[in-house]
Amino acid sequence: LLALTDISLLPSTMTSDNLQHKLDIAIDQDTDANATFTLYEEDHTLGNAMHYVLMKNPGIGFSGYTVPHPSETKINLRVQTTGAPAVDGFRQGLTDLKSICNHILDTFDQVVLPKYDSVPPPAKPTPN
């Protein structure tokens, strides 16, 4: 089991003062193309999104995730690649998911926000 706390994978609001253990990586002994990533303080939101993005990558042979128990805030994400190290596939999945999220935010900013910029704010109620 390789324990990893990679600051680049953590929210930007976290500093070294409040850094928490967020990720464990268990790489198979036979091949580095298979690994299980345990992400702490995460749930189905990230698990399902990562699974979807990983399965869109032709270099990923298998991806699946589990939430070990409803009361635990962690997910186990299994990644098996077709040859490259699983860590590389996982990192590419994070990069792809970040790109998708940025595209959604940019589209929202371009399409939705301008419609609300021209709408006057609601009037404040007058005191009686």
Side-chain angles (χ1 to χ4, degrees):
L1 177 68
L2 170 67
L4 172 71
T5 302
D6 185 346
I7 294 173
S8 67
L9 300 178
L10 300 177
S12 60
T13 57
M14 298 189 88
T15 65
S16 59
D17 295 336
N18 65 357
L19 184 64
Q20 299 173 11
H21 185 77
K22 297 292 282 185
L23 175 67
D24 284 331
I25 304 173
I27 300 173
D28 286 6
Q29 291 180 350
D30 298 336
T31 175
D32 64 352
N34 302 334
T36 300
F37 302 84
T38 301
L39 293 101
Y40 298 95
E41 303 302 321
E42 297 297 344
D43 58 17
H44 290 285
T45 304
L46 182 63
N48 193 40
M50 277 296 292
H51 169 69
Y52 173 81
V53 169
L54 286 167
M55 292 309 299
K56 291 292 186 180
N57 182 339
I60 303 293
F62 173 82
S63 168
Y65 80 96
T66 62
V67 175
H69 190 274
S71 67
E72 292 182 276
T73 55
K74 72 177 184 178
I75 60 171
N76 295 319
L77 179 66
R78 179 73 175 172
V79 177
Q80 297 177 355
T81 67
T82 56
V87 172
D88 293 347
F90 178 77
R91 186 175 298 278
Q92 184 61 51
L94 290 172
T95 301
D96 293 347
L97 184 58
K98 183 177 179 179
S99 295
I100 291 168
C101 291
N102 285 335
H103 174 73
I104 292 169
L105 286 171
D106 291 344
T107 302
F108 180 85
D109 289 346
Q110 293 172 6
V111 175
V112 177
L113 287 184
K115 292 179 181 181
Y116 289 96
D117 285 342
S118 62
V119 176
K124 293 183 180 179
T126 56
N128 291 340

